[in-house]
Amino acid sequence: MAVTLTKILCFAFLNLGMVVKADIRMSADDYLNMCISVPNEYSKSRPSPEPGLECTRYRDSSCCRPNMTTSFLEDHQWMNMTDYGHCPQKPRLSPECERLNHDEVCFYACSPHSGPWIVIGNGYPYSHRLKNLPLCASQCDKWWNACKEEYTCHRNWLTDPAWDANGMNICPKDAVCRKYTEMYTSAADFCNTIWDGGYHVVPDTESCMEFSFDPAKPNPNIPVSRAAAEKKAAVSGTSGLKMYLPSGLFVLFTLFLLYTAPPLF
């Protein structure tokens, strides 16, 4: 049988034209066992019990280790990344604002129920971040009312700050410190903006998350996270191999070469 080099190449091209794509499907449980990556020794890759955790809501299943929030409680500076008292007018938070911010830090760093909203970060200081996590309006209102008399020079605390030599957020040159009530137009504007869209405020009538829920009661975020994880897993793609046929023009050109090429041997 006469075989041509061109024919051999054509058969190879046809096989190469059949693009094989491997899709890895994430299950709902994958999302429900996902931890946000925080660049310090207190972060974990998967949740596990932490009986001595200061963030009491997450002792049964936590994405962080004990002392994750110690620096915040001591001086309102969290992990050499976020100084909550970066304005000289009010270097310490009010007690209620401290409590709500501590709840929020615990939720961000320790909650094992944020997986469906974790995305890759886009720069310092976070390699991971939240994106559009649905925050209950009532939770946002509590946070806002506790902190609206504080001061800041940033609207967006991820994109607006300058950073000192240690990596702590500081006010950029010529930035002006203002009360939150002057920096943000509403509770929703504050919650949606402060962490660069990590939260998206929705009415309490919709599925939404809370970070200052009663730790003595069942965690209300679990069913919300489960529903979101199942929905995301359903649209994440089919596992296994997908075959994509080559285009019609590619096939016609290859067949032309097959029938016109001279014999090789």
Side-chain angles (χ1 to χ4, degrees):
M1 185 192 319
V3 181
T4 69
L5 176 60
T6 305
K7 288 181 179 180
I8 294 172
L9 292 174
C10 287
F11 283 117
F13 290 157
L14 276 173
N15 284 323
L16 287 173
M18 302 281 287
V19 180
V20 179
K21 181 182 179 182
D23 282 339
I24 300 175
R25 179 173 179 171
M26 291 186 65
S27 69
D29 285 340
D30 290 330
Y31 288 109
L32 294 171
N33 286 287
M34 185 184 296
C35 287
I36 201 159
S37 176
V38 180
N40 59 59
E41 67 273 23
Y42 300 105
S43 184
K44 298 193 294 188
S45 59
R46 292 181 69 84
S48 61
E50 292 289 352
L53 192 68
E54 67 275 17
C55 297
T56 56
R57 295 174 176 85
Y58 309 105
R59 286 178 174 174
D60 291 341
S61 181
S62 173
C63 282
C64 68
R65 295 181 172 86
N67 299 320
M68 168 67 87
T69 62
T70 298
S71 61
F72 171 81
L73 294 173
E74 289 177 349
D75 56 19
H76 295 168
Q77 295 182 349
W78 186 58
M79 293 297 166
N80 290 325
M81 293 186 291
T82 305
D83 181 2
Y84 287 78
H86 52 266
C87 284
Q89 292 94 328
K90 204 167 184 292
R92 292 219 33 113
L93 303 173
S94 68
E96 186 64 6
C97 183
E98 177 188 276
R99 185 181 72 81
L100 267 292
N101 273 307
H102 184 255
D103 288 349
E104 192 274 331
V105 170
C106 288
F107 176 80
Y108 173 81
C110 305
S111 173
H113 307 302
S114 301
W117 301 279
I118 293 174
V119 298
I120 300 299
N122 55 1
Y124 186 85
Y126 305 112
S127 56
H128 282 166
R129 51 163 296 184
L130 298 178
K131 186 67 176 177
N132 290 329
L133 183 146
L135 187 68
C136 296
S138 60
Q139 175 67 85
C140 175
D141 289 342
K142 291 176 184 176
W143 192 13
W144 169 249
N145 288 329
C147 299
K148 63 184 180 182
E149 297 302 316
E150 305 299 332
Y151 284 80
T152 183
C153 59
H154 324 303
R155 264 184 58 80
N156 185 325
W157 287 29
L158 286 188
T159 63
D160 294 353
W163 310 95
D164 67 15
N166 297 317
M168 187 75 75
N169 67 308
I170 57 176
C171 294
K173 184 180 179 180
D174 300 327
V176 178
C177 284
R178 297 184 175 92
K179 281 188 177 182
Y180 288 14
T181 50
E182 299 175 64
M183 191 67 73
Y184 304 102
T185 60
S186 65
D189 181 38
F190 163 69
C191 297
N192 291 339
T193 305
I194 186 171
W195 297 125
D196 193 34
Y199 299 120
H200 174 63
V201 178
V202 300
D204 285 24
T205 52
E206 298 182 18
S207 294
C208 58
M209 309 281 275
E210 305 172 50
F211 54 74
S212 59
F213 58 89
D214 186 348
K217 297 180 179 180
N219 188 329
N221 297 325
I222 294 176
V224 178
S225 180
R226 166 64 67 176
E230 291 175 350
K231 182 177 180 180
K232 193 162 186 178
V235 299
S236 66
T238 305
S239 61
L241 298 178
K242 286 185 177 180
M243 305 296 292
Y244 296 90
L245 293 175
S247 69
L249 287 175
F250 183 87
V251 172
L252 289 174
F253 179 70
T254 306
L255 290 174
F256 172 78
L257 291 176
L258 280 170
Y259 286 102
T260 60
L264 180 63
F265 55 83

